[in-house]
Amino acid sequence: MTAPIISLDDVSKRFRKRTQTVHALDRVSLDIAPGEFVSFIGPSGCGKSTLLRIVGGLLEHDGGEVVVSGESPARARRHKRFGFVPQAPALLPWRTVRRNVELLDELNRRGADHPSLDDAQTLELLEEVGLGSFLDALPGELSGGMQQRVALVRAFKLGAPVLLMDEPFSALDEITRVDMRYLLLELWERIRATVLFVTHSIPEAVTLSDRVVVLAPRPGRVVEIVDVPLPRPRHDDLEDSAAFHDTVAHIRGLLRHGMQR
């Protein structure tokens, strides 16, 4: 059996807010294999984004253990093992599409122990996501969906073994959001990085993932880890399948039950 690239063992987190302590996460345990796509879903405030930041070395946990590629999240971060895709694309308005994609690679190569994509590979990805004729366009000339495509290519360009995605499609309209799911799958099929993906959309989680981690309301804890029984590669016709609808219904039931407890 392949050793996990990410291992969480009884991970807990508390925040001090003025005079009270907020218990954000409670003994979360999970092993994630290299190249696996795992989504986290749960009600607002259940600690999904907190967990992502802990894995990425941006936030310390209070209890338990987190191991990424055999080392602590902080060391993995220093070795540039993570690519981040936030809710907002965070593009620099004075840099073109091409130069925004190059930005993180320019800033983050020191200490990296893996190669980034070369110029030809990067151009190929930009062409694949429909940005080949917009290489010299500024962010203000792009739609929201196009800006998020730039952010995706920028993250994949780093060649990082782990991609952390925090609701990257939440600000998009539903039609664009569905298109972006399948675009992300196409990119992921090419690169096969390990992806941790936070979302509030059950269909999105099922469409994208090998497994879906369902979290309970605060303090966030694992209710169930759901295997997604859908073959890869995936296309939009899978959303008409009984397996898709059954998995969506099962996760919805877990969330509903968790909210009532």
Side-chain angles (χ1 to χ4, degrees), residues 4-19:
I5 188 171
I6 298 169
S7 182
L8 309 174
D9 185 16
D10 280 346
V11 174
S12 298
K13 178 63 180 177
R14 289 175 171 82
F15 293 99
R16 284 287 297 175
K17 290 193 174 181
R18 295 179 183 167
T19 59

Side-chain angles (χ1 to χ4, degrees), residues 110-129:
R110 185 175 181 181
D113 55 6
H114 56 273
S116 59
L117 301 188
D118 62 29
D119 290 345
Q121 292 170 314
T122 304
L123 180 59
E124 189 176 349
L125 284 189
L126 286 166
E127 293 279 0
E128 187 169 324
V129 303

Side-chain angles (χ1 to χ4, degrees), residues 150-186:
V150 177
L152 286 178
V153 174
R154 181 177 60 190
F156 277 101
K157 176 177 171 51
L158 291 174
V162 179
L163 295 179
L164 306 174
M165 301 190 177
D166 191 0
E167 297 189 70
F169 307 145
S170 61
L172 303 177
D173 64 84
E174 185 59 25
I175 294 174
T176 304
R177 183 168 183 159
V178 171
D179 289 342
M180 291 296 292
R181 293 174 196 167
Y182 292 99
L183 176 62
L184 172 56
L185 282 177
E186 289 176 17

Side-chain angles (χ1 to χ4, degrees), residues 81-255:
R81 297 188 183 277
F82 301 111
F84 292 90
V85 184
Q87 292 182 26
L91 306 181
L92 296 181
W94 58 87
R95 292 180 70 119
T96 64
V97 166
R98 188 198 309 266
R99 298 204 64 218
N100 264 292
V101 166
E102 294 169 348
L103 177 62
L104 295 183
D105 201 34
E106 293 172 5
L107 298 175
N108 285 295
R109 289 319 301 166
R110 185 175 181 181
D113 55 6
H114 56 273
S116 59
L117 301 188
D118 62 29
D119 290 345
Q121 292 170 314
T122 304
L123 180 59
E124 189 176 349
L125 284 189
L126 286 166
E127 293 279 0
E128 187 169 324
V129 303
L131 292 171
S133 59
F134 294 89
L135 298 180
D136 296 317
L138 295 172
E141 302 172 280
L142 307 177
S143 68
M146 294 171 75
Q147 290 184 30
Q148 199 58 277
R149 294 180 197 184
V150 177
L152 286 178
V153 174
R154 181 177 60 190
F156 277 101
K157 176 177 171 51
L158 291 174
V162 179
L163 295 179
L164 306 174
M165 301 190 177
D166 191 0
E167 297 189 70
F169 307 145
S170 61
L172 303 177
D173 64 84
E174 185 59 25
I175 294 174
T176 304
R177 183 168 183 159
V178 171
D179 289 342
M180 291 296 292
R181 293 174 196 167
Y182 292 99
L183 176 62
L184 172 56
L185 282 177
E186 289 176 17
L187 295 178
W188 175 75
E189 289 284 353
R190 290 169 59 101
I191 307 299
R192 282 290 180 160
T194 304
V195 176
L196 278 64
F197 189 94
V198 167
T199 181
H200 280 103
S201 169
I202 301 173
E204 186 167 85
V206 173
T207 297
L208 293 170
S209 308
D210 297 304
R211 292 186 293 164
V212 178
V213 180
V214 182
L215 296 175
R218 185 186 298 151
R221 55 183 174 74
V222 176
V223 174
E224 185 173 318
I225 301 172
V226 179
D227 292 318
V228 178
L230 299 172
R232 295 192 185 276
R234 295 177 183 170
H235 307 285
D236 56 4
D237 57 355
L238 72 82
E239 297 184 35
D240 297 322
S241 68
F244 178 85
H245 289 289
D246 289 348
T247 307
V248 168
H250 178 62
I251 294 172
R252 183 176 293 118
L254 291 172
L255 289 171

